Amino acid sequence: MIQIENLTKRYGRVAAVDGVTFSVPAGSVTGFLGPNGAGKSTVMRMLTGLTPPTSGRATVLGKDYRDLVNPGSRVGVMLDASAQHPGRTGREALTLAALTVGVPRTRVDDVLRLVGLTDDEAGRRVRTYSLGMRQRLGLAGAFLGEPEVLVLDEPANGLDPQGIHWMRTLLRDFADRGGAVLLSSHLLHEVQAVADDIVVIGRGRIVAQGSMAELVAGSGSRARSEDDGALAVALEAAGHTATLTPDGVVVDVEPADLGRVALAAGIVVTDLRPHGSQGLEELFLRLTADDSREVAA
């Protein structure tokens, strides 16, 4: 349902997006991951016709977004939940969107119920909304036209744990009924819980893509030791890619191989295991280490 082929966006000599190719089929959720500034939002803006590509093509439902007849009725988009007029009520914002899309006003009540905004909350000015309420309003707008495809940028931002669980169930149900979801999020545990496929982007290029099971299964080992810094240096010297994280050293080898390197270097390992439930987070940290603004202490 979404097809992105060799998509590139340049600003002068800077390539914000460089030759990105991936697809989002019907009945699936694709997690679109990357550090800040990696190019995720630019890809989504090109997909939805807000930014023209320098080269390549992004299509949804077989066409460029701008060529779809009444795209709001077929593609639900939420790129910035704060992009609502602060002086309007939530209901007014949705009613205007309904008139634009051409759906009955009764649909406004349907989506308000869907996202859990009460009549009282819908009657309040958007300027009084919390971040989580703005997110729910943005999701209501995305679902207004009963879409076949969802394109969502950080939809869980500001939601409490119950809200995040609700959103995950909502998106999973949408995909299971045949919809396609492109989901950008920094909440990696939630992405791991809902996504079928993953695309990781760094410095405008795809650094990994595949099914969740494939990527997590191939993510190596994690170890803690009496000197994690020395262990990382020893692993790098042995030709492996090692990354220091708050939970230890992440490396692209099996636990037995990591143990042999530690033994040869005389480093005492206190915890050694394959990637478990945090595999996606550790995979992300390793793949995007060059783009990180943080420096490991």
Side-chain angles (χ1 to χ4, degrees), residues 245-257:
T245 78
D247 293 318
V249 180
V250 176
V251 66
D252 59 345
V253 298
E254 295 301 311
D257 296 322

Side-chain angles (χ1 to χ4, degrees), residues 100-122:
T100 302
V101 173
V103 298
R105 294 193 182 195
T106 54
R107 182 66 183 156
V108 172
D109 291 321
D110 294 338
V111 294
L112 285 170
R113 284 192 295 269
L114 179 69
V115 303
L117 287 175
T118 66
D119 288 340
D120 177 66
E121 291 167 336

